[in-house]
Structure formats: C-alpha cells, structure tokens
Amino acid sequence: MAGTPSVVAVFFAGVVTILTPCCLPMLPPMLAGSVGHRFRPLSIVFGSISSFTVLGVATGVVGGLSPDALRGPLMAVMIAFGAVMADDDVHEVYSTYASKVAGRATEATALVDERDHPLASAFLLGLLLGVVWLPCVGPILGGVLAYVGATGDVSRSASLLFVYGLGFSVPLLGVAYGSKRGGRALADTVMRGRRPVHFRKVAGYVLIVTGVAMLFDIDKLVMSLLA
C-alpha cells in the first residue's frame, strides 16, 4: 500500500509531461504521419515505454550501489530541475543547451526511412522521444528519475518508469486516434494567455517541494505514520 501513491504520482507525471505547453502543440504535427499506418502511434508508444523502462533499470542500478549516500545528491538533482521550471532565466539557459542535444536526436530519427519502414521509424522515434523533447520533458523526467533512483531498487525503478511511460502514452494515443481538430483545440486551450508559464512554474515548485521533503526524509516519516 505504501507504494501506491508513488505509482499514481509517477503515472500522473507521465501524463503531465506530454501535456506540458511545450510538448502539446507538437503532438498533432508529429503524429500526422500516422495516417500512413494505423499502428504507427502504437509503435511510437512501445518505443517510448521501452526507453523509459531501460532508464528505470539503469537508474535503479546506480541508486542501488549506495542508496543512502546517493539519496542526497539525487534529491538535489530533483530540486535543481524544479528550479529550471520555476525560474524564467534558468529555464531559458537550460532550454538553449537542451535544444542543441534535441536537434541531434531529431537527426537520428531520420536514419530509418518512414515511407519504407513506418513501424520501425516510429519505434525509433519513440525510443528517442525523451531526448527529442528534452527541453520540455527534461525537468519532469529528471525529477522522476531522481525519485526512483533514491529507492535503490532496480525492479521498482523499472516498474515506476514503465508506469511513467504509460502515463506519457495516454495523451499521445488520445491525440493520434482522436480527431486532429480535438488535438488542436486542446493545445489552444493549454496555450492560451499566461497558462503555459503558470503551468511550468507550478510543476517546478512541486518538484522543489518534493525534493526538499525527501532530502529531509519527510516522505519516510509520512509513510511510517500511514503504515
């Protein structure tokens, strides 16, 4: 029972990641090619879930080397990513450098011809999706990785990142198999006025508060009281 809230939180983090004002407007154009093959969106999803699960395994292995010693640094990483989202100046600097990495990853997706191998190219895109959208997903994904790394449990880290991938995939499939008009309407709603900035800052402060709480073992205290 103690793990249930974290599973729900990680799933929600996956949903929130792809519904950020940075990612959402790019969904309809990215999925426009899905008309060539009806299973292309599913292939993208399988690729992204596979990528996130491998990240979970790797993070769990690193965290398992010395969970207590790494807990502090990992929570510092979570707080740092929260600051990236909460502060406009820091976010601008981060986006500049992250965009360069994302540009190289985008070039890599062209290695497989989409017309001749639609499912293979979609799977590759899914594998690289976290990198392609690094300026958008980096802080939230980084916060989740810091959280699962603090568990020091490989199987748990893998399962939580798998759940994150599922949450990440729900809006993607919704836009892919829903109407393009509906996807555009959703993007326009989220992007209206100052909502993108407010959304980003709220998510940043959530990461900061979570990181500080875990840094001082408040999460363990809460779990012990609920046990």
Side-chain angles (χ1 to χ4, degrees):
M1 292 299 292
T4 303
S6 59
V7 170
V8 174
V10 168
F11 179 84
F12 181 70
V15 175
V16 168
T17 299
I18 204 167
L19 287 180
T20 57
C22 180
C23 288
L24 189 59
M26 294 189 286
L27 276 181
M30 186 197 77
L31 295 170
S34 63
V35 296
H37 199 294
R38 61 179 177 175
F39 295 128
R40 181 172 165 80
L42 286 174
S43 190
I44 294 175
V45 164
F46 289 144
S48 63
I49 290 178
S50 299
S51 179
F52 292 137
T53 302
V54 169
L55 275 175
V57 172
T59 305
V61 169
V62 173
L65 296 177
S66 182
D68 293 333
L70 290 175
R71 183 179 173 90
L74 287 172
M75 291 309 99
V77 168
M78 180 183 289
I79 295 170
F81 275 121
V84 167
M85 299 188 72
D87 185 272
D88 293 333
D89 294 332
V90 176
H91 184 265
E92 184 177 351
V93 173
Y94 162 81
S95 297
T96 299
Y97 288 100
S99 294
K100 295 179 181 179
V101 178
R104 294 179 182 177
T106 302
E107 293 174 3
T109 61
L111 293 176
V112 180
D113 189 271
E114 181 180 326
R115 290 173 296 179
D116 295 336
H117 307 284
L119 295 184
S121 66
F123 184 81
L124 177 61
L125 175 59
L127 284 175
L128 295 174
L129 205 53
V131 182
V132 171
W133 282 345
L134 187 62
C136 310
V137 308
I140 296 180
L141 178 57
V144 173
L145 287 173
Y147 171 75
V148 300
T151 66
D153 186 327
V154 176
S155 61
R156 179 165 176 75
S157 296
S159 62
L160 284 178
L161 262 295
F162 177 82
V163 170
Y164 175 87
L166 289 178
F168 187 86
S169 302
V170 169
L172 193 152
L173 290 177
V175 173
Y177 290 115
S179 67
K180 293 180 182 178
R181 184 176 180 181
R184 291 290 184 185
L186 180 59
D188 290 342
T189 299
V190 174
M191 295 297 291
R192 189 175 301 158
R194 294 275 300 170
R195 289 180 183 176
V197 176
H198 295 326
F199 188 97
R200 169 170 58 81
K201 289 187 175 184
V202 168
Y205 287 125
V206 169
L207 284 178
I208 292 173
V209 170
T210 302
V212 171
M214 296 185 69
L215 190 62
F216 290 98
D217 293 335
I218 296 176
D219 59 313
K220 293 182 179 180
L221 174 61
V222 172
M223 289 302 177
S224 66
L225 294 175
L226 294 176

